[in-house]
Amino acid sequence: MEPTDQINPGAYFDSYEDLKVHEIMLADKPRQDAYQQAILGNRALFVGKTILDVGAGTGILSVFCAQAGASKVYAVEASNLARLARAVVEENKFQAVIEVSECKVEDFQLPEGERVDIIVSEWMGFFLLHEGMLDSVVYARDKFLKPNGLMFPDTATLFVAPCSVPSRFDQWENLSGVSMRCFGRALREQNSGNPEVLSVAQADLLHEGHIMAWFDLMEVTTEELNSIEVKDVLVIQHSGKLQGFCIWFDCTFPGDEMEQRQLSTNPSAPPTHWKQIVIPLPEDSCEDLEERDPVAFSLSMTRNKETNRRYDLQLTLLDPEKEEHHLPCECHMTKCILMKTHLEKMQVD
């Protein structure tokens, strides 16, 4: 018998799968710790303040805000998970502080003339924007946040790096003593154009990561989120086999230098449920690279025309001979060596 036949998700979840998703999110300790420390570590920002929790889910962030001394928390959740949030609020005895509304934030209304001091939200999707809620957070910011208000988090940075993908390539070289390259090739061809959610080891990154986009959440507009593009030449920092490109994100929270917190999905950081996103390359594009080899590429993220919260990724490998390099460039190409030498000579002179 399937688990869905045994378990009734009840009034809080649409399905057994939905319940499991939220179990995974609540078990994500780096995610929980980042928000808890950002909020409770900045109590002075929350004491006596009015908070809006966008996409409140189970209500745990709202409870953190109440624990930090907020005088009022509006927890807005569009799904019937709002009913669970009310139960969590009651269980933690914060009914007098936290008010849960079961609606989209676009349909939510504050009392006449009221605005909030802080907006809190865990809106991030895979590769930051895919299936995320940033549009709704931007809407809430523009409609409900005071002019001098705060956003938690307040910045987000998207990174990309060339990488090896042994879980998609190397393991098929010898599987229990049998070469299964043809199966691995078929698997990658079947998934071609579909980025995969994988855990990438730091040792498999061929570069520390290039900033693809940076967002100030106090300023970013929904129009700026329609399309994000990067075209660049990266110099390999760690030799290995180029088999794909890895994408991850970091978010920061307000606070002074001592109290500022970060939530990172970098392969070097503690693992989260977001993991990383990998775009595997076709097998004929994979190559062994050494330190100082240049890799030229373009990568775009564009809203899906049919589903606004989804993004389509498009990766293209370019010829590093034909692309413009950063100056000074550390790669081994003759033109970059000559330019670097010339620049160094000018500084000496």
Side-chain angles (χ1 to χ4, degrees), residues 30 34-35 123-129 134 152-160 205 208-217 246-253 260-270 272 274-276:
Y35 276 91
W123 52 265
M124 297 80 77
F126 294 103
F127 57 90
L128 189 64
L129 300 179
L134 186 50
F152 274 68
D154 61 349
T155 75
T157 309
L158 194 60
F159 297 86
V160 61
L205 293 181
E208 65 187 354
H210 173 75
I211 294 178
M212 182 177 175
W214 179 82
F215 303 106
D216 178 348
L217 299 181
C246 177
I247 303 172
W248 69 89
F249 66 85
D250 291 350
C251 292
T252 65
F253 298 85
Q260 193 170 55
R261 305 291 179 176
Q262 177 175 275
L263 171 61
S264 178
T265 63
N266 189 307
S268 65
T272 69
W274 287 286
K275 301 181 182 179
Q276 290 83 40

Side-chain angles (χ1 to χ4, degrees), residues 166-183:
S167 63
R168 278 291 172 261
F169 288 84
D170 300 357
Q171 68 172 331
W172 308 113
E173 296 287 319
N174 185 332
L175 189 67
S176 301
V178 179
S179 176
M180 296 290 289
R181 291 182 187 173
C182 57
F183 176 80

Side-chain angles (χ1 to χ4, degrees), residues 9-19 22 78-81 83:
Y12 303 143
F13 301 96
D14 294 328
S15 64
Y16 173 80
E17 289 74 19
D18 189 37
L19 181 151
H22 285 89
S79 74
N80 60 5
L81 201 59
R83 302 164 201 173

